[in-house]
Amino acid sequence: MKKLIFLILLLTCGFSKAQETSDSLAYKKRVLENTEVDFLASYYTQDGNNAAVSGGIGTEELTDGTSTIVVSIPLNADDVLTVDAGISAYTSASSSNVNPFDGGKDANPFQASSGASSSDLWTNLMGSYSHSSDDRNRIWALHGSMSTEYDYFSLGFGGSYTMLFNEKNTELTVKANAYFDSWKRLYPYELRPFLSGGQGLSASLFNTHTITGNADYQPLFSELTEKKRNSYSAGLALSQVFTKNMQGSLLLDVVQQQGLLSTPFQRVYFADVADSYIDEFQLADDIERLPDSRFKIAVGGRLNYYLNEIVVLRGFYRYYTDNWGITSHTASLEVPIKIGSKFTLYPSYRYYNQTAADYFAPYETHLSTESYYTSDYDLSTFNASQYGFGLTYTDIFTGFRLWKLGLKSIDLRYNYYERNTGLTANIILFGVKFVAD
């Protein structure tokens, strides 16, 4: 009888433990409770007078509109599939001057041409899959992407692995990505007759337009042999909750690029070559030429401090350097201010400065004897400031309904950007998040 009672107790305990485990698994918190849909849009404008397309002089006027939809779908309690699709349309006075002679007016680097190169369409599609362990202390993710525009195509692949420990107060993430890009080599229009097999000065362009200055135009131009660019990156992020009011993180990213790293349609003008013009546009002496490899490393950190239930301080700093001679510092501060239960204001400021690449020089400063050269002011010495302001509306109860979607948040932000080189830009960002039933 004692053995029978003992056996019954043992089976009962085992059943209870199994039931407890089953219930625990049945009711574990899902990584994502419902499908979420984000609609994002941005509008960007810029202006300046250091266009790389025209050798460091000329208009940098550009406008760009982008729309994106992001759908996150919970496949089960542990797995989430995310699909991100975007399209961007731009018009650019700068890139229109890839062919400045097709607008029906006198060519001028400070005015836009109306040809085909004045606008373009960029499309992007990305999918990602993430899996979380039962205890939510391990997360791994994979993603793939594809993007294309008129002269460019890119495929990307990557993944990450995240570990949480110390009662989820410490988080470590490692990630790796690879991108395989291909260029359609689009050269400045006046250089195309000098490609192998071209007609040179007897081409129709020079028969229908008069060359002034040095009429014996003979550019130092040869076709690029490379049209692919591969980029490989790895990153490490360590986040730590220090106190109930303070959280910080350390970030490390390294990137190795190989292949065509210069832009084929960006002109360069030499100080030791006589100038040739059609109308008011100076004909290129050559295109931008840069090394076929580049190594980048960036180290940074974030520190967030919760002052009270109204104000939070979010600080960021990053140091960057590469083997082209550029070093840079980025510092930013954002101060979310909660207004009531549903609205938050986001004033922010960002400062950036960098040294010039070894291969940069302004308009007509390079010499034709150099191996590498560019007049792209993105690679120059400059400092920049960005002033931002945003407003977010959040409703965790999704009271407003649109069909089967509940409105979770609305986000509107504006940023003004300026460089000491004269470039200015305005950026408007808008986002709406819905949660499906």
Side-chain angles (χ1 to χ4, degrees):
M1 179 62 68
K2 290 183 179 179
K3 289 183 179 181
L4 180 58
I5 294 173
F6 177 77
L7 181 59
I8 291 173
L9 289 173
L10 183 62
L11 290 173
T12 303
C13 290
F15 177 81
S16 299
K17 184 64 176 177
Q19 183 67 38
E20 180 183 349
T21 303
S22 176
D23 291 345
S24 175
L25 291 175
Y27 294 105
K28 68 179 177 182
K29 183 175 176 59
R30 298 170 66 89
V31 175
L32 184 66
E33 292 293 337
N34 301 96
T35 296
E36 294 185 347
V37 182
D38 289 271
F39 296 97
L40 309 172
S42 68
Y43 180 73
Y44 174 88
T45 65
Q46 72 169 43
D47 204 0
N49 293 307
N50 298 115
V53 172
S54 45
I57 59 171
T59 178
E60 295 177 89
E61 184 180 352
L62 179 147
T63 62
D64 178 273
T66 301
S67 59
T68 303
I69 181 171
V70 182
V71 182
S72 300
I73 306 168
L75 302 178
N76 50 50
D78 304 322
D79 303 324
V80 177
L81 175 66
T82 301
V83 179
D84 181 333
I87 187 168
S88 174
Y90 76 82
T91 59
S92 170
S94 172
S95 67
S96 74
N97 283 325
V98 173
N99 181 3
F101 313 109
D102 62 355
K105 299 179 181 179
D106 287 352
N108 187 311
F110 292 94
Q111 296 178 359
S113 171
S114 59
S117 58
S118 63
S119 62
D120 201 356
L121 198 65
W122 172 87
T123 57
N124 178 73
L125 179 65
M126 185 176 73
S128 64
Y129 169 81
S130 67
H131 172 80
S132 299
S133 62
D134 287 337
D135 61 5
R136 303 298 183 250
N137 288 330
R138 301 290 184 270
I139 307 165
W140 62 262
L142 298 173
H143 71 260
S145 65
M146 179 182 70
S147 60
T148 182
E149 55 186 305
Y150 174 71
D151 62 337
Y152 182 81
F153 179 78
S154 176
L155 285 175
F157 306 93
S160 64
Y161 183 70
T162 299
M163 299 173 287
L164 291 89
F165 44 94
N166 189 23
E167 297 182 344
K168 299 188 187 298
N169 289 317
T170 306
E171 180 178 316
L172 177 65
T173 298
V174 292
K175 61 181 180 179
N177 297 284
Y179 294 92
F180 305 96
D181 308 334
S182 179
W183 288 86
K184 179 180 179 181
R185 290 166 296 191
L186 186 66
Y187 299 110
Y189 191 73
E190 68 272 25
L191 294 178
R192 297 173 195 177
F194 297 92
L195 292 170
S196 178
Q199 296 178 327
L201 279 177
S202 63
S204 60
L205 169 67
F206 305 109
N207 290 328
T208 56
H209 294 78
T210 301
I211 299 178
T212 59
N214 176 27
D216 185 23
Y217 176 56
Q218 296 293 334
L220 301 174
F221 172 66
S222 60
E223 188 173 6
L224 295 167
T225 58
E226 183 62 78
K227 65 178 182 179
K228 296 185 180 297
R229 174 176 63 196
N230 298 335
S231 302
Y232 308 95
S233 66
L236 182 69
L238 177 64
S239 300
Q240 178 65 47
V241 177
F242 298 108
T243 69
K244 65 178 182 179
N245 289 10
M246 185 167 64
Q247 179 181 0
S249 61
L250 295 175
L251 311 167
L252 171 66
D253 290 286
V254 294
V255 178
Q256 176 66 48
Q257 293 182 294
Q258 203 75 31
L260 178 55
L261 303 184
S262 57
T263 304
F265 53 76
Q266 294 187 171
R267 295 173 175 86
V268 170
Y269 299 112
F270 297 127
D272 56 344
V273 173
D275 299 340
S276 300
Y277 295 86
I278 290 179
D279 301 328
E280 297 178 59
F281 198 94
Q282 186 174 347
L283 305 182
D285 293 330
D286 198 2
I287 60 172
E288 174 185 80
R289 297 187 186 272
L290 293 168
D292 61 3
S293 67
R294 187 178 186 183
F295 179 75
K296 311 175 185 180
I297 184 168
V299 181
R302 298 182 184 275
L303 188 64
N304 299 336
Y305 189 79
Y306 176 86
L307 282 179
N308 51 49
E309 60 185 19
I310 296 177
V311 179
V312 178
L313 303 178
R314 295 177 179 172
F316 172 77
Y317 170 78
R318 184 185 67 178
Y319 171 79
Y320 166 92
T321 186
D322 64 32
N323 63 346
W324 284 9
I326 293 178
T327 60
S328 72
H329 302 270
T330 305
S332 67
L333 178 65
E334 183 180 65
V335 186
I337 303 171
K338 197 168 184 61
I339 301 177
S341 61
K342 294 184 177 182
F343 290 93
T344 305
L345 299 177
Y346 288 90
S348 64
Y349 174 73
R350 177 181 180 272
Y351 177 78
Y352 176 86
N353 70 24
Q354 74 171 37
T355 60
D358 297 334
Y359 318 111
F360 172 83
Y363 164 74
E364 281 211 327
T365 307
H366 282 295
L367 299 176
S368 60
T369 54
E370 298 173 20
S371 298
Y372 302 113
Y373 30 80
T374 178
S375 294
D376 185 347
Y377 271 71
D378 286 346
L379 301 177
S380 71
T381 296
F382 70 86
N383 59 66
S385 292
Q386 180 172 292
Y387 308 88
F389 185 79
L391 176 64
T392 296
Y393 167 84
T394 304
D395 181 5
I396 61 174
F397 300 109
T398 61
F400 177 80
R401 313 292 297 178
L402 182 63
W403 191 48
K404 294 184 179 181
L405 300 176
L407 177 63
K408 187 174 182 179
S409 66
I410 301 175
D411 191 52
L412 179 63
R413 303 203 181 200
Y414 168 76
N415 293 292
Y416 174 75
Y417 174 88
E418 62 179 0
R419 288 185 188 177
N420 64 339
T421 60
L423 177 70
T424 61
N426 296 275
I427 311 107
I428 299 173
L429 304 165
F430 176 75
V432 181
K433 181 185 288 291
F434 289 95
V435 178
D437 290 337

